[in-house]
Amino acid sequence: MPESTPPSLSPAPEGTTAPSLSRDAVRDVAAILPGWLETVRHLHRQSGIQAAIWHDGELVAEVAVGPADAEAGIDLLPTHRLRIASHSKTMTTLAVLRLAEEGALRLDDTLGAHVPELAGSPVAAATLRDLLAHAAGLSRDSADARWWRLGRPFPDREQLLAIARTEPLAAPAGTHLQYSNIGYGLVGLVIEAVTGEDFAAAVTRLVIEPLGVEDIGPDLPADAPGPETPHGFAPGHTSLLHGPRRIVEQVPTGALAAATGFWATAGAIATVAGRALTTDALLGEDARRAMRRRVWTVAEGRHYALGLQQGRLHGFEAVGHSGGFPTGLSRTWAVPAERLAVSVIGTAVDAPASEIAAGLLGLLALAAGRPAPQADAAEAPGAQGGGGSGRPRPLPLAEQEDAEQEGVGSLTAGEVADLAAGTYDSLWGRTRVARLGGRLFALDDAAFDPAAGALELATAGGAADPYEPGARTIALRTWGDPGYGTWAEPILVRLETVDGPGPGEGTDGAPTLRCRGLIRSGQLHTASAEFTMPERVTRPEEGQGPPGEGRR
């Protein structure tokens, strides 16, 4: 899905290495994204979720699963507009840095210098730099923040100024990260004072228009359409804590739009993050460096800079932001070295957006050629204190030997991978076999982070079928299992010949092979489309023989 390219889009910033992630590898992940996302959404009884991948100038994937409005039965579309909340802080910081590049302000300017109504107040001496880094010591949301449960409207300009003038600082400036939506609302007032425009007009002119991105805006419009239109706003949903999910209506954010007002599609915010944070389409290198300079270490490998969260996920050095609003949760990560951005937006207050975004980066890491996180340790010499000499990582599929099976003949590793690719169900869950970046993996399709426990697979020739002697089976050697699963046992791909259209069929309409299931540690995993869970899982009868295709 190509996107329009703004005239200012340029090559990767100087000093960055060539991306290790190919477009084909990204497409491999994009191909399994809809199915994986729906499995996770369904398993966790979530409402609608959008996800997107932007890579090297192109929006490669835009996906939506689940309902936009569970009560009305309206499906979520990739074009539906959702709230991205604290992503607004990144957008506000980008606007401030644009103004700094123009010489209209400095990061060390104080609030009092630009907003005269704050003269003599506790916050007058707070600098823009401190406010953008949550280092000014301001209250997170004030003493009365009932707007977060829709108990009152978000504050307007005069109410925000009253909060700033009358409420004391929560902490001395610079002593600790003190996250503050109030502080970012005040930065919005500075932008208005410097530009002579309202915040929405200023941030649109300074950030959105130069990036050339549609389907994103600074606050809920007064005439916002609902989810019944393809580009309308989807409502939010409550959690399941108090019964079935209830609808949460969208609301404007008033003077706190600079902190939490933005809306977007996942594709739009992924594109903004990709263009603004991984290229010089908006800011010069000095401004981007200032934005990324770490201010707080909030956890091992996690930092906060100016309007940016930073982290190392699956080997990627990523920057971005999360968002929490009464109508849903969101997360975007951009990886400058790879010119990559991923975004996930959920429509419920308990949406696992951050978990899914991290899992998406994990899949992209596998596609980039990295092993699963635990694999090297599990396969090292002397692993777990044992006497093993270690096992080398399997070669890419293109370099593996062919598999020979009686009645089938010779199959290349790539052909075996194509046959095995798909999802397989059992009483225990769902396994996905996926081709990522020229390698084959077995993934837990229900996991938020499938890469964490991924097993790499290599063809190991024909094998006997323990269920049906004489049936055609190809063995896949596993690599990366810590020992509780299939470290020394292959996964068996059960093949059968079918008539009519099918994978690998020739133009002559000859019968073709297909995979009818897997055998993993002796347990049958049936192709998902053919699996049916019985209403009651009963114990086997005495004397019942070995299970056949019809047994679980």
Side-chain angles (χ1 to χ4, degrees), residues 27 38 65 129 157 171 194 196 215 228 236 238 325 335 366 387 410 426 471 481 489 525 536 542 544:
R27 290 193 179 110
E38 172 57 20
V65 297
R129 190 187 307 276
R157 186 179 194 277
V194 170
D215 288 323
E228 62 279 359
T238 62
F325 203 71
V335 183
L366 295 181
S410 179
S426 74
D481 189 286
E489 302 171 78
H525 295 247
R536 182 184 181 94
E542 291 294 330
Q544 185 174 9

Side-chain angles (χ1 to χ4, degrees), residues 28-44 49-53 63 65 314 342-344 352-364 422-423 430-432 434 436 443-452:
D28 285 345
V29 175
I32 68 172
L33 178 56
W36 169 58
L37 192 63
E38 172 57 20
T39 297
V40 170
R41 185 204 70 81
H42 177 75
L43 183 64
H44 294 276
I49 300 173
Q50 289 182 351
I53 308 172
V63 174
V65 297
H314 287 283
V342 302
S343 184
V344 179
S354 290
E355 293 87 344
I356 293 171
L360 188 48
L361 286 177
L363 292 172
L364 288 161
T423 59
R430 176 169 293 169
T431 295
R432 178 180 293 275
L436 299 174
L443 309 167
D444 180 356
D445 205 48
F448 285 134
D449 189 357

Side-chain angles (χ1 to χ4, degrees), residues 375-400:
D376 282 332
E379 300 291 356
Q384 300 162 334
S389 57
R391 300 190 301 179
R393 187 182 185 189
L395 296 171
L397 290 169
E399 302 174 35
Q400 292 180 24

Side-chain angles (χ1 to χ4, degrees), residues 50-143:
Q50 289 182 351
I53 308 172
W54 180 96
H55 178 246
D56 200 18
E58 182 179 344
L59 190 58
V60 181
E62 270 188 299
V63 174
V65 297
D69 184 327
E71 284 186 1
I74 300 173
D75 289 337
L76 186 67
L77 302 175
T79 55
H80 275 133
R81 298 170 174 184
L82 311 176
R83 302 309 280 276
I84 55 173
S86 286
H87 286 73
S88 306
K89 296 176 174 68
T90 300
M91 303 297 287
T92 297
T93 302
L94 290 170
V96 169
L97 291 172
R98 283 292 317 280
L99 292 172
E101 284 189 323
E102 295 173 359
L105 52 71
R106 297 177 306 117
L107 292 179
D108 292 325
D109 287 352
T110 64
L111 272 175
H114 292 288
V115 185
E117 296 98 322
L118 295 177
S121 71
V123 301
T127 67
L128 292 176
R129 190 187 307 276
D130 281 348
L131 290 165
L132 296 176
H134 300 292
L138 274 69
S139 164
R140 190 184 198 281
D141 292 299
S142 86

Side-chain angles (χ1 to χ4, degrees), residues 297-324:
T297 298
V298 295
E300 180 68 28
R302 296 294 182 99
H303 308 275
Y304 201 93
L306 301 187
L308 279 181
Q309 295 164 336
Q310 300 181 347
R312 183 173 178 83
L313 296 94
H314 287 283
F316 292 122
E317 294 290 346
V319 296
H321 219 288
S322 57

Side-chain angles (χ1 to χ4, degrees), residues 433-444:
V433 177
R435 190 171 184 163
L436 299 174
R439 296 174 180 272
L440 191 64
F441 295 91
L443 309 167
D444 180 356

